[in-house]
């Protein structure tokens, strides 16, 4: 039997465009992954000012499935967070082998940001929730060609 956990990445950006993140892990038990992510981040259902969005999943050799949620803006911006130094996506070796050899947390955060940037452009509900420095930082990110990212 596989163990499922929910990874929550509260994301924030400062006026200079520097992204920071926290990582929270919560078990999945008796609730939906969305509910677990909201509980882990301390976000109420129906909160129109915070995006809670499933952004990826990955399988670990120990039999663990990790469901990742981006939470933006970070509901607790006063807590310590890690600076995202580069936006570097992890990629599989071939189209039929999508799982990269190594996935680091920074790669997962970068993927989450790219996902939010896409949603900012294509999902009016997300677009309405993300504003100010966050929207500016995501807009510049979403406009960069994929080739601009380090492989």
């Amino acid at each position: 039997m596989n163990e499922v956990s929910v990874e929550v990445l509260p994301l924030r950006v400062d006026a200079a465009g520097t992204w920071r993140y926290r990582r929270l892990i919560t078990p999945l038990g008796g609730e939906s992954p969305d509910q677990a992510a909201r509980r882990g981040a301390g976000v109420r259902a129906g909160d129109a000012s915070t995006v809670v969005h499933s952004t990826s999943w990955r399988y670990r050799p120990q039999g663990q499935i990790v469901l990742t949620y981006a939470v933006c803006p970070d509901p607790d911006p006063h807590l310590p967070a890690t600076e995202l130094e580069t936006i570097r996506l992890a990629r599989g070796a071939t189209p039929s082998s999508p799982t990269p050899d190594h996935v680091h947390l920074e790669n997962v955060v970068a993927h989450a940001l790219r996902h939010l940037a896409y949603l900012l452009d294509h999902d009016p509900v997300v677009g309405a929730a993300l504003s100010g420095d966050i929207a500016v930082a995501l807009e510049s990110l979403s406009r960069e060609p994929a080739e601009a990212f380090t492989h």
Side-chain angles (χ1 to χ4, degrees):
M1 177 108 183
N2 290 323
E3 176 188 336
V4 178
S5 62
V6 176
E7 175 180 62
V8 181
L9 301 174
L11 304 167
R12 64 180 100 143
V13 68
D14 62 24
T18 302
W19 286 100
R20 288 185 169 50
Y21 65 92
R22 297 184 297 121
R23 181 177 187 241
L24 311 169
I25 300 288
T26 188
L28 181 62
E31 60 192 341
S32 75
D34 290 359
Q35 291 169 322
R38 283 193 306 267
R39 176 179 48 79
V43 176
R44 293 180 334 273
D47 181 341
S49 65
T50 305
V51 174
V52 176
H53 191 80
S54 173
T55 186
S56 65
W57 69 274
R58 62 192 180 281
Y59 177 80
R60 293 195 173 149
Q62 304 86 349
Q64 183 183 36
I65 296 172
V66 180
L67 306 175
T68 303
Y69 280 75
V71 175
C72 192
D74 185 344
D76 292 309
H78 59 281
L79 294 177
T82 302
E83 179 178 330
L84 181 63
E85 295 183 19
T86 60
I87 296 184
R88 185 178 321 221
L89 301 176
R91 301 181 193 282
T94 67
S96 62
S97 300
T99 302
D101 289 336
H102 303 285
V103 178
H104 301 282
L105 185 56
E106 295 81 13
N107 304 130
V108 177
V109 174
H111 180 83
L113 289 171
R114 287 293 304 258
H115 197 157
L116 289 177
Y118 175 83
L119 292 172
L120 182 68
D121 288 344
H122 296 92
D123 184 326
V125 173
V126 171
L130 300 176
S131 61
D133 292 336
I134 291 171
V136 170
L138 288 173
E139 285 172 359
S140 66
L141 175 63
S142 67
R143 305 295 189 271
E144 291 184 16
E147 295 80 25
F149 290 90
T150 306
H151 298 268

